[in-house]
Structure formats: C-alpha cells, structure tokens
Amino acid sequence: MITLRGIPVSAGVAIGPALVLDAEGVRIPQRRVAPEQVNGEIARLHAALAAAAFEATQTQRDITARLGPQYGAIFAAHALLFEDPDFLASLDVLVRTERFSAEYAVSRAVREFVRTFESMGEGTFLAWRSADLFDIEKRILKHLLGDRREPLRDLREPVIVLARELTPSETATLDRNKVYAFATEHGGRTSHTAIMANAMDIPAVVGLGHFLNDVSSGDPVIVDGGEGVLVLDPDDEVLAHYRKARDARLIKSGVWVTERNLPSVTTDGVHIALFGNIEFPDEATACTARGAGGVGLYRTEFLYVGRDSDPSEEEHFRAYLRVIREMGEGRPVVIRTLDLGADKFVAAHGPKEPEKNPSLGVRSIRLCLRDTPLFTKQLRAILRASAFGDVRVMFPMIATLPELRKCVFLLREVMEDLREAGVAFNPNVPVGTMIEVPSAAVMANEFAREIDFFSIGTNDLIQYTVAADRTNELVADLYSPADPAVLRLIKAVVDAARTHGKGVNVCGEMSGDPLFTPLLVGLGLRQLSLAPNNLPAVKAMVRRLDVGDCERIAVEALSLESARDVTNYLLRQRQRIHPEAAGGGEE
Ligand code: PEP
Ligand code: MG
C-alpha cells in the first residue's frame, strides 16, 4: 500500500480500479521529412486540424449546455485558435519550408504562438494558461498520433483516472457516471482543471508528484479529494475506513439540502457566518443551495476566461447583477476587483516583456493601478451594481498603505463621476482589502484605520510568507496553512480588525477545510468564505464547536514550532470534536 498526498482540488471520496493514462508521456522528437513527403504531411496536418477544431466546437456546445456559457467560453477560445491565420501560416512554414514533421510543427507552433500572444499589446486579453495550450496541442496531436486517451470515451466500467496531467477539456468531457475521481502528478489548485473538477463535483487531487510508475490500470485505488490523498493498493483496514467515509458522504450529500437552513452556530451560541467563494455568476446558485450567508469572494477575473477582448462595463455590471439577484435580500456580495496575472490569466494589459517572477511582478492590483481605464471601468460597474443590493468592494494583493490609498482615491473619483452623471450607487459601499501579502498583515493596524473590512487570502499569504509557489507541487511540503508563521500573521490581522472594530474574514482554501475551523474560530474569526462544495462540512464542524475550547486550541497551536506539529495537533482535535469528519473530506 502506498499513501500519497497532493493538492486537494475537489472534495469527496472515491474507491475503484485505476485507469492509468500517459504513463510514458507524449514526446515529440524533432523530425524532418523528405521533400517528396511534404504534401502528404500537409494533408495529414490539415486533416488533424479540422478534426481537432470540430471537436473543440463540439466540446464548447456540450459544456455550454451542461455547465453554462462561462465554462463553454473556455473552449470557444480553443476553437478560435484553429482558424487563426498566423497560427496556420506558421504551421505551413514549418512543414513546407523547414520540412518538419506535422507533429513537431504543431508542438513548435503552439509554443511560438504563446510567446507572440504574451507580448501582444493593446486592448486584448490573453485568457490562456499553459494547461489550455497543452490542451490544444494535445487535441491536434491526438489526431496525428492516434488517440492515446480514447479509453476515456468508451469506458465500460467506472474507474479512477490517474494521469500525469489532465487538460481542462479532458476534465470537462469526463463522464461523471464512469469516472469516480481523478488524480494527477502535476497541476495546481487554481488551474482550469481544478475549477472544472469542482464545478462537476468530481473528487480530485492534483500535484501528487511521480506515482504513475507504481500503479497499473486495474489496481484498486482510493482518492480523497477533500484531504488531497491518493492511496494505491490499499489494505483491508484502509479500504474499510474510506468505504465508511465515502458512504457517510453520500448519505450526507442528500442530507445537506435539508440541513442548509440550520444555523451556523457553535454549541455555545456564537454565530459563525459562512459565505461562498465564486468564480462565475452561475455558482451563486451553488451558494444559496448550500445555505451560504452571502458571497464572500467573487473572483471577477474569471470574466476574462476564454475571450480575446475585454469585457465591457455593461458585461461586468450584468454579471454582478446576476449574482446579487441570486443572493437576494440580506446576503452580501463581496466583489473583488481584478486579480489578473501570475498563475491566473496573462493579460495583454500586463508587462510587455515576460517577467522572471510573475507572482512578484505586475499582477493584480499592481496591474490595475497601472491601467486606470481598466480599473475604473470595473469600479463603475461595481458601484452601479451597489444600487441593487448589499455589494461590497474589495481590493486584492495590497502590499502597502499608499497602494490602498490610491485604490480608495480612485473609487471616490469614480463615485464623483457617477454622481455628476446622475447614476445611482451606494455612496456608503463597504470597502475592504485582502490581506495576502505579509507586509499588509504586519501593517494591519494601520490598514484597519482606512477600510471597513479585511479578508485574509491564505492561498497567497502562505505562498508569500514561506516563499513557496502555490502551484508548484515540488514545494508543496513547505506550503501549509498550518505553518506557525502564517498562523501568527492571521492572528495579528484578526487582532487589528477587532481593535478597530472592523470586519475580518478568511477566504483562502484554508477556510474550506474543517480541520482548520476550530483553530480559525479560536483565533477570533466569526466569518469564513469558502468554495460552496465545502460549506456543508464546515457548517457541520461549526455546529460541534465550543468557542472556549477553540480558543484553547488556538493558544496551543500558536505555541507549536512547525506546520507538521500544528497539523498533527489539529488532527487530534478533529478526532476528538468530530470523529466522523476524519478522512472524509466533505461530509
Ligand atoms: C487567496 O489568495 O487566498 C485568495 C482567496 O485569492 P486567490 O486564490 O484568487 O488568489
Ligand atoms: Mg490571492
């Protein structure tokens, strides 16, 4: 038996036979063809392009019908590439002039295309990420090489898919009834693949590191998407444990609908507000269905997925309105301004030259403050939406006070413009800042004087505190919400908010993991915002907590010296407080 830990991206437990894909990887050697073979190579290439384009359009239609246009749009962008004249011309040159094989030409043209696209200027957004580009490349290569992934389409028995990496379209086309779960060697939490897995409710773990050599198709495996665990060849005891967890979750998944209206209160009567995190307006229904008290984080940069032009102010406004209407009276919607760049979507508005360290470069608020037309367009839309519900505006990635002041200044300017134009908005719209850079956490007292609320973005706060890329599985051992330095920063932020009577929330993935709920409550948090899938499990944990007990847990956790010690301590506490939650991911 081998137990592996990776990055949990979609909760749930699945047990079944493995289907191993891509163990040997697809390698495309640089190969040239003889002059008399060129025409044949061009014909092969065009046939593969046509088949791949057709397939991308099909996927777009399927996904639009199944999951909505926001998801379909990702594949619409894929389909567009097949008609791009520059892309087609470069393929032509590579085969006709350089006499490369069709396979090699595709591989090379895709990479060149990425580079050109990245350095493009003016008014267009590049909503691709490397996973999408691999996707397109693989689609074409599949038709040239023969489909190595055909097993995914004609599954007779349910399986657990194990692969080096799954692309967003491979994920989106998985048959939910035949694929119980998937686990991959590569990948990060914020990839489109992860978003798709969550939206389709397929348990998934990514970034597990090399394991495909240790498993064969047909071997029994377990995926625990809530805990980020993959077990190969489990023994009887482990199998029995996970069967129980899986069955409990299945039973519970029917129950959460009836439980969604149960109050989120501790046993000693303290209310812990639970809000949802969303990327697309459609997900607001997943929040209301699970009884969320509002949307605590709307990641608006996802408006830019799968399109090659900027959304207009009207498109921003309409998207916000949809979320506000779905949430209805009394449920706030925290709209975060654009967090483009780094591992998110590369923006043509961003730096002209590729950055050496994009996560430390012109991303997020830095990008918006350099492109005020982009920023003010969004601020106008948010303010207009504030006339229709309890909208709150939040700035991401703030590192310094002057940055925050610039944002607030721009917001006030936009208010002035709207007022002059007689456009309705809420002049008292609450303004908050994310705390996801250690400098902001350290300066939380000063920040608290200038805003209405904090939202602690632990995903980035962890990566910047321990200097470990959140998408790099090779440093995933360093990247832990249980790191004592991270806990101390969270405490400092909560204390500062309390001192100044300001709101404070945690909206990183940490708040969706019930393991951390006692600790966060003990640190003083009374509001958490999390992926809708995790709401039932976190509420179930809240309803078993006693605040005094949580405070003791927080004091003890803060006295420990390593993430491992903190994690082990919290695991013991979870076992004591809510033993059924252990190993079960979402209840
Ligand atoms: C975070 O960093 O914790 C966060 C919520 O923002 P994102 O994951 O979108 O970077
Ligand atoms: Mg962040």
Coordinates of all heavy atoms in Angstrom, one line a residue, residues 189-190 277 279 297 299 301-302 336 339 343-344 363 394 396-397 434-436 455-464 470 479 506-510 529, ligand 1:
R189 N -3.8 24.2 -7.6 CA -5.1 24.4 -7.2 C -6.0 25.4 -8.0 O -7.2 25.3 -8.1 CB -5.0 25.0 -5.7 CG -6.3 25.0 -4.9 CD -6.2 25.9 -3.7 NE -5.9 27.2 -4.1 CZ -6.9 28.0 -4.6 NH1 -8.1 27.6 -4.6 NH2 -6.6 29.3 -4.9
T190 N -5.3 26.3 -8.7 CA -6.1 27.4 -9.4 C -6.2 27.1 -10.9 O -6.5 28.0 -11.6 CB -5.4 28.7 -9.1 OG1 -4.0 28.6 -9.4 CG2 -5.6 29.2 -7.7
N277 N -17.3 31.3 -2.0 CA -16.4 31.9 -3.0 C -16.9 31.5 -4.3 O -17.2 30.3 -4.6 CB -15.0 31.2 -2.8 CG -14.3 31.7 -1.5 OD1 -14.8 32.6 -0.8 ND2 -13.2 31.0 -1.2
E279 N -16.4 32.0 -8.8 CA -15.6 32.5 -10.0 C -16.6 33.0 -11.1 O -16.3 33.9 -11.8 CB -14.7 31.4 -10.5 CG -13.5 31.0 -9.7 CD -13.9 30.2 -8.5 OE1 -14.9 29.4 -8.5 OE2 -13.3 30.4 -7.4
L297 N -16.4 36.1 -1.6 CA -15.3 36.4 -2.6 C -15.8 36.1 -4.0 O -16.1 34.9 -4.3 CB -14.1 35.5 -2.3 CG -13.0 35.5 -3.3 CD1 -12.3 36.8 -3.5 CD2 -11.9 34.4 -3.0
R299 N -14.4 36.2 -7.5 CA -13.2 36.4 -8.3 C -13.5 36.8 -9.7 O -13.6 36.0 -10.6 CB -12.4 35.0 -8.3 CG -11.9 34.5 -7.0 CD -11.1 33.2 -7.3 NE -10.3 32.8 -6.2 CZ -10.5 31.9 -5.3 NH1 -11.6 31.2 -5.4 NH2 -9.7 31.6 -4.3
E301 N -11.9 38.2 -12.1 CA -11.0 38.0 -13.2 C -11.5 36.8 -14.1 O -11.1 36.8 -15.3 CB -9.6 37.8 -12.8 CG -9.3 36.6 -11.8 CD -9.6 36.9 -10.4 OE1 -10.1 38.0 -10.1 OE2 -9.4 36.0 -9.5
F302 N -12.3 36.0 -13.6 CA -12.8 34.9 -14.4 C -13.8 35.4 -15.5 O -14.1 34.6 -16.4 CB -13.5 33.8 -13.5 CG -12.5 32.9 -12.9 CD1 -11.7 33.3 -11.8 CD2 -12.2 31.6 -13.5 CE1 -10.8 32.5 -11.2 CE2 -11.2 30.8 -12.9 CZ -10.5 31.3 -11.8
R336 N -14.5 41.2 -5.6 CA -13.1 41.6 -5.6 C -12.7 42.1 -6.9 O -13.1 41.5 -8.0 CB -12.3 40.3 -5.3 CG -10.8 40.6 -5.3 CD -10.0 39.4 -4.9 NE -9.9 38.4 -6.0 CZ -9.2 37.3 -5.9 NH1 -8.6 37.0 -4.8 NH2 -9.2 36.4 -6.9
D339 N -7.9 40.4 -10.3 CA -6.7 39.8 -9.7 C -6.0 39.0 -10.9 O -5.8 37.8 -10.8 CB -7.0 38.8 -8.6 CG -5.8 38.3 -7.9 OD1 -4.7 38.9 -8.0 OD2 -5.9 37.2 -7.3
D343 N -0.4 33.3 -11.9 CA -0.9 32.0 -12.3 C -2.3 32.1 -12.9 O -2.9 31.2 -13.3 CB -0.9 31.0 -11.1 CG -1.8 31.5 -10.0 OD1 -1.7 32.7 -9.7 OD2 -2.5 30.7 -9.4
K344 N -2.9 33.3 -12.8 CA -4.3 33.5 -13.3 C -4.2 33.7 -14.8 O -3.5 32.9 -15.5 CB -5.0 34.6 -12.6 CG -5.2 34.4 -11.2 CD -6.6 33.7 -10.9 CE -6.8 33.5 -9.5 NZ -6.8 34.7 -8.7
R363 N 1.1 41.9 -11.1 CA -0.2 41.2 -11.1 C -1.2 42.0 -10.3 O -0.9 42.9 -9.5 CB 0.0 39.8 -10.5 CG 0.3 39.7 -9.0 CD 0.3 38.3 -8.5 NE -1.1 37.9 -8.2 CZ -1.5 36.9 -7.3 NH1 -0.6 36.3 -6.6 NH2 -2.7 36.6 -7.1
M394 N -13.7 45.0 -2.8 CA -12.5 44.5 -2.1 C -11.3 44.5 -3.1 O -11.5 44.1 -4.2 CB -12.8 43.1 -1.6 CG -11.6 42.4 -0.9 SD -12.1 41.0 0.0 CE -12.3 39.8 -1.2
P396 N -7.5 43.3 -4.1 CA -6.6 42.1 -3.8 C -5.1 42.6 -3.8 O -4.8 43.6 -4.3 CB -6.9 41.3 -5.1 CG -7.2 42.2 -6.2 CD -7.9 43.4 -5.5
M397 N -4.3 41.7 -3.2 CA -2.9 41.8 -3.3 C -2.3 43.2 -2.9 O -1.2 43.6 -3.3 CB -2.4 41.6 -4.8 CG -2.2 40.2 -5.2 SD -0.8 39.5 -4.5 CE 0.5 40.4 -5.2
M434 N -8.0 42.7 0.8 CA -7.5 41.4 1.1 C -6.2 41.5 1.8 O -5.4 42.4 1.5 CB -7.3 40.6 -0.2 CG -8.7 40.3 -0.8 SD -8.6 38.9 -2.0 CE -8.1 37.5 -1.0
I435 N -5.9 40.6 2.7 CA -4.6 40.5 3.3 C -4.0 39.2 2.8 O -4.3 38.1 3.3 CB -4.7 40.5 4.9 CG1 -5.5 41.8 5.4 CG2 -3.3 40.4 5.5 CD1 -4.7 43.1 5.4
E436 N -3.1 39.4 1.8 CA -2.5 38.2 1.3 C -1.0 38.4 1.0 O -0.3 37.5 0.5 CB -3.2 37.7 0.0 CG -3.6 38.8 -0.9 CD -4.6 38.3 -2.0 OE1 -4.8 37.1 -2.2 OE2 -5.0 39.1 -2.8
S455 N -10.2 40.7 4.4 CA -10.4 39.3 4.0 C -9.0 38.7 3.8 O -8.3 39.1 3.0 CB -11.3 39.2 2.8 OG -11.7 37.9 2.6
I456 N -8.8 37.7 4.6 CA -7.4 37.1 4.6 C -7.4 36.1 3.5 O -8.1 35.0 3.6 CB -7.0 36.5 6.0 CG1 -7.2 37.6 7.1 CG2 -5.6 36.0 6.0 CD1 -7.0 37.0 8.5
G457 N -6.5 36.3 2.5 CA -6.4 35.4 1.4 C -5.2 34.5 1.7 O -4.1 34.7 1.3
T458 N -5.5 33.4 2.4 CA -4.4 32.5 2.8 C -3.7 31.8 1.7 O -2.5 31.5 1.8 CB -4.9 31.4 3.8 OG1 -6.1 30.8 3.3 CG2 -5.3 32.0 5.1
N459 N -4.4 31.6 0.5 CA -3.7 31.0 -0.6 C -2.4 31.7 -1.0 O -1.3 31.1 -1.1 CB -4.6 30.9 -1.9 CG -5.9 30.2 -1.6 OD1 -6.0 29.4 -0.7 ND2 -6.9 30.5 -2.4
D460 N -2.5 33.0 -1.1 CA -1.3 33.8 -1.4 C -0.5 34.1 -0.1 O 0.7 34.2 -0.2 CB -1.7 35.1 -2.1 CG -2.0 34.9 -3.6 OD1 -1.1 34.3 -4.2 OD2 -3.0 35.3 -4.1
L461 N -1.2 34.4 1.0 CA -0.5 34.7 2.2 C 0.5 33.6 2.5 O 1.7 33.9 2.9 CB -1.4 34.9 3.4 CG -0.8 35.5 4.6 CD1 -0.1 36.8 4.4 CD2 -1.8 35.5 5.8
I462 N 0.1 32.4 2.3 CA 1.0 31.2 2.6 C 2.2 31.3 1.6 O 3.4 31.2 2.0 CB 0.3 29.9 2.5 CG1 -0.8 29.8 3.5 CG2 1.3 28.7 2.7 CD1 -1.8 28.6 3.2
Q463 N 1.9 31.5 0.3 CA 3.0 31.4 -0.6 C 4.0 32.5 -0.4 O 5.2 32.3 -0.6 CB 2.5 31.4 -2.1 CG 2.3 32.6 -2.8 CD 2.1 32.4 -4.3 OE1 2.6 31.4 -4.9 NE2 1.5 33.4 -5.0
Y464 N 3.5 33.7 0.0 CA 4.5 34.8 0.1 C 5.2 34.7 1.5 O 6.3 35.2 1.6 CB 3.8 36.1 0.0 CG 3.3 36.4 -1.5 CD1 2.0 36.7 -1.7 CD2 4.1 36.2 -2.5 CE1 1.5 36.9 -3.0 CE2 3.7 36.4 -3.8 CZ 2.4 36.8 -4.1 OH 2.0 36.9 -5.4
R470 N 2.5 28.6 -4.9 CA 1.3 27.8 -4.6 C 0.9 26.8 -5.6 O 0.1 25.9 -5.4 CB 0.1 28.8 -4.3 CG -0.3 29.6 -5.5 CD -1.2 30.7 -5.2 NE -2.6 30.4 -5.4 CZ -3.6 31.3 -5.4 NH1 -3.3 32.6 -5.0 NH2 -4.8 31.0 -5.7
Y479 N 4.4 24.5 1.7 CA 3.2 25.4 1.5 C 2.1 24.8 2.4 O 1.4 23.9 2.0 CB 2.8 25.3 0.1 CG 1.6 26.2 -0.2 CD1 1.7 27.5 -0.7 CD2 0.3 25.7 0.0 CE1 0.6 28.3 -1.0 CE2 -0.8 26.5 -0.3 CZ -0.6 27.8 -0.8 OH -1.7 28.6 -1.1
V506 N -11.8 35.0 6.5 CA -10.7 34.3 5.8 C -11.4 33.7 4.5 O -12.4 33.0 4.6 CB -10.1 33.1 6.6 CG1 -9.2 32.3 5.8 CG2 -9.4 33.7 7.8
C507 N -10.7 33.9 3.3 CA -11.4 33.4 2.1 C -10.4 32.5 1.3 O -10.8 32.1 0.2 CB -11.9 34.6 1.2 SG -10.5 35.6 0.6
G508 N -9.3 32.2 1.9 CA -8.4 31.2 1.2 C -9.0 29.8 1.3 O -9.9 29.6 2.1
E509 N -8.4 28.8 0.7 CA -8.9 27.5 0.7 C -8.9 26.9 2.1 O -9.6 26.0 2.5 CB -8.0 26.6 -0.2 CG -8.1 26.9 -1.6 CD -9.5 27.0 -2.2 OE1 -10.2 26.0 -2.2 OE2 -9.9 28.2 -2.5
M510 N -8.0 27.5 3.0 CA -7.9 27.0 4.4 C -9.3 27.1 5.1 O -9.6 26.2 5.9 CB -6.9 28.0 5.1 CG -6.7 27.7 6.5 SD -5.7 29.0 7.2 CE -5.3 28.4 8.8
S529 N -15.2 32.4 4.3 CA -15.8 32.3 3.0 C -15.0 31.2 2.2 O -13.8 31.1 2.3 CB -15.5 33.7 2.2 OG -16.2 33.6 1.0
Ligands
PEP1 C1 -6.1 33.9 -1.7 O1 -5.0 34.2 -2.2 O2 -6.3 33.2 -0.7 C2 -7.4 34.2 -2.4 C3 -8.5 33.9 -1.9 O3 -7.2 34.7 -3.7 P1 -6.9 33.8 -5.0 O4 -6.9 32.3 -4.6 O5 -7.9 34.1 -6.0 O6 -5.5 34.3 -5.3

